[in-house]
Structure formats: C-alpha cells, structure tokens
Amino acid sequence: EDIRVLPQDLNAYLVPAAADRPLVGQEQTTLRMEGFLQEWLKPWNLTKPSPQRRDVEKIFQAYEKNPGFGLRNVRHEPGSAAALLAGADLRTFPNAMRKAITVKNTSQRGMPTTEPRFLDPNKPGEGYPFDYLQHTSLPPGTPLLVIHASRDGSWLYTESSLTHGWVPAADVASVDDAVIREFSTPRLAAVVRDNVPVAEIGQGVDIGAVFPLAGPPDSGGVTVSVPVRGASGLAELRRVRLPAGTAVAMPMPMTPRNVAAVGNVMMRQPYGWGGLDDRRDCSALTHDLYVPFGFYLPRNSASQAAYGGSVPLGDMPGDQKEAAVISQGVPFATLVWMQGHIMVYVGQYKGRPVVFHNMWGFRTFGENGRDGRLVIGRAVITTLRAGEEVPAVGPSHILLNRVRSLSILSRPY
C-alpha cells in the first residue's frame, strides 16, 4: 500500500525552504574530501594485505561440505569447490603483490568463478539473487591491491577499500607512479547518472564511479581520465568527455535537492545482492548515493550504521521510534539501520517518517505457519510501517519493529 500511495519521487519530500540549504559546511566539505581520498586510495597505501590465507580458504571449505546451487537451480557437483581451490593455488599465497586499478565494471568474488553459489532455492529468501560468492561490484577506476594470482593467471585476489575477493585478471591493470599521481588528487569527478556510455572501455559507467578531472568542467560536460589496460598490462589513461548532466566535479554541493536528484536515478531499479548483475542492494544504494558528495561509506549495512553520529533507538515502542526519527533525523542526510538492512530518511508523509531504500522483501507467515517472502525487489520509498496491512506480514514483521539506530551523516549548515 505504501508503494501505491506514497509518491515514488524524492522531490515530493523536499521542504521548499530547506531544499537548497547546504547540509555540509565548507570546512567539513574539505575534511570529507580528504577522508574520501584516504579511504578510496587505501589499497595503494597498504604495506601488507589484510586477508590471510585462512580467510581466503574458508569459503572453499564451506562449499566443499555443501556445494550449493548454480544457474537454473542446478546443484553443483561434489568436488567443484575443491577443483576451484586447486586452481586458486593458495599454497603460494600471497604471490602477486602489486598496485592496480579496475578497467571495467567488475566484481570481487568469494571464489575464482563467475558461476553463482546459491543455497537451497526452495527455501524462502534463498536462490537468486542471493549468490553468496558475490562480495561487491566495483566500477572502473577503483584502486586495488593485487595480492595473489590463480594458477593460470586468469583470476586475481584483490583488496579494495570496500572488501577483498577474486576479480577476473582481464578487468584489472597494474598502475605506475604516473597513474597513482593522477588519481591521488582532490580534483575528481563523480558520475551522477547510470549507464553513461564510455566507448574507451566498451561499457557504461554508473553512479559510484569516480575519475580524475582532466580539465575544468563546463556547460558542455566534464573531461576525465579513464584507465584502460595497455598491451603490457599497465594502465593507460584516456581523456574521455562525459556529456553535460552525467558527471560533476566533486564534491557536489550536498543539499536535499541534489541528493534527491541523484537518488531519483536509482528509483525503482531492481535489487541485486552484492551488486550482482550490475544492480544494487540496500548498502550499495546508500554507498553510491553519497559518493558524489564526498562521502565514502563502508560496504555493508552494519558498518554504515556506525558511520557518522549514531543515535540508538533500541527497543523503543514504535511510536517513539518514529518520533525520534523525525525529531533527530536530518532528511537526506540520515541512515536508518536495522539488522541486515539500511535506509535513507528523506522526510515525512502525513506525520510518518519516510525512507528510500532498495529492498528484497518482507518475511511472511501463512496460516499454516510456513515462512515465506513478500518480494518487493527494487528501490522504493516507504514508511517504516510498510506491509502492515498485509495479513501475512502484519504489524509484528514491519520494518519499524527491527529498526535499531540512526546514523547522522551531516547536519544543515
């Protein structure tokens, strides 16, 4: 009912008097960009990898015991994880320490394969899109530390600022000092539209992608430096013109109107666990939403909830929680967290707090007590009481009951 009744347009929740009021002051903006660079470039400043061999092996061991399911819900063959482990050649881990960068839209994976690993698709909340090998998607231009190469060299185990995992070697190029210098600058541009075509890499780029500015922005667009993989395996930079309205110099002024404009691009987009199929889950939406404004949020919802000024809500009654969100939350600059899910507080609708989030669905219970799911599967605007009118969801399983804290990213300047 929320999705039918509530405007699915973030502009509808702007307060005219505050829509263009900065949410971040100039001093804080400078500090945010310094923090952004520090986090984004972290892999290039590491002297040793964060993951150990045992950390990388765990997921292989888990799937040796339970092979899981692949495409079309076909169970993986026993021994398939062991074969991948042999190909990973982890006895020599780490064997390939070097600085690198992504040159394609790619993903960090739990094992060196593009084949998914689903748990039992006959169980609610399992099967597609919950590929448990999918750690995160990465846009082109993401700094990496390459830690290890598979036996045949076709996969690389990498560390990004978000997480670590296997990436196809063809999606990565090594970097020299010149490329590192080009990217280690606050003169950056952020993409603010999805699927912006870049012929030089043969793909579109999405919100969340960041490139060095290669010239001053003007009314016709933005010129950026985009890395491509050269014949030697080193990254080479190409000057690329991104059309007007598709990218902005960072940081974009953080006002409710600007946050709404970026968020509306993602509205109604399908859900993708861990960035599977170039789609966003809840924390990918929040991460990408704030990149143009110089906020580099962690990858998972629990870590994001600890970012900024945290306001615990604990086990407050529902009415009190809603009142706390409205009284303490800053529209378009507050994250609302519950275990396993993160949302953006954007304002009120008829006295109820309203959130923007990409969600899979609600847990349901039928008359026979059987667990199920009411699937939403896309980015939507709802209240925290969404689903309350659905008998199988009912008041006991709504979002509000599970909300535990707010994270205040910034306050109006």
Side-chain angles (χ1 to χ4, degrees), residues 114-267:
T114 57
E115 279 284 314
R117 294 264 164 169
F118 304 120
L119 297 185
D120 189 346
N122 294 312
K123 293 183 178 179
E126 300 297 350
Y128 185 86
F130 298 102
D131 173 9
Y132 291 105
L133 296 189
Q134 180 70 14
H135 289 180
T136 192
S137 59
L138 299 174
T142 302
L144 296 174
L145 178 67
V146 172
I147 300 169
H148 185 80
S150 64
R151 189 184 303 278
D152 64 5
S154 63
W155 286 85
L156 302 174
Y157 201 85
T158 63
E159 184 167 357
S160 70
S161 58
L162 297 177
T163 188
H164 48 88
W166 296 94
V167 173
D171 296 348
V172 173
S174 297
V175 292
D176 58 18
D177 289 343
V179 171
I180 291 173
R181 281 194 302 272
E182 184 85 4
F183 274 74
S184 302
T185 170
R187 296 187 66 255
L188 300 173
V191 176
V192 293
R193 293 288 182 270
D194 278 346
N195 201 29
V196 178
V198 177
E200 288 77 2
I201 62 173
Q203 291 180 332
V205 294
D206 299 329
I207 300 168
V210 173
F211 303 104
L213 280 166
D218 55 48
S219 58
V222 176
T223 302
V224 297
S225 296
V226 174
V228 299
R229 183 181 170 90
S232 66
L234 274 174
E236 299 174 358
L237 298 180
R238 299 284 187 269
R239 293 171 71 91
V240 173
R241 185 72 169 169
L242 300 179
T246 63
V248 296
M250 289 181 68
M252 188 180 191
M254 189 170 168
T255 64
R257 191 183 307 278
N258 284 344
V259 178
V262 177
N264 271 339
V265 176
M266 307 181 198
M267 191 67 67

Side-chain angles (χ1 to χ4, degrees), residues 44-64:
W44 290 348
N45 296 317
L46 293 172
T47 56
K48 60 180 181 179
S50 301
Q52 303 298 308
R53 174 179 163 180
R54 63 179 177 273
D55 301 320
V56 181
E57 287 177 330
K58 282 180 183 177
I59 196 164
F60 293 90
Q61 295 163 355
Y63 281 104
E64 283 178 11

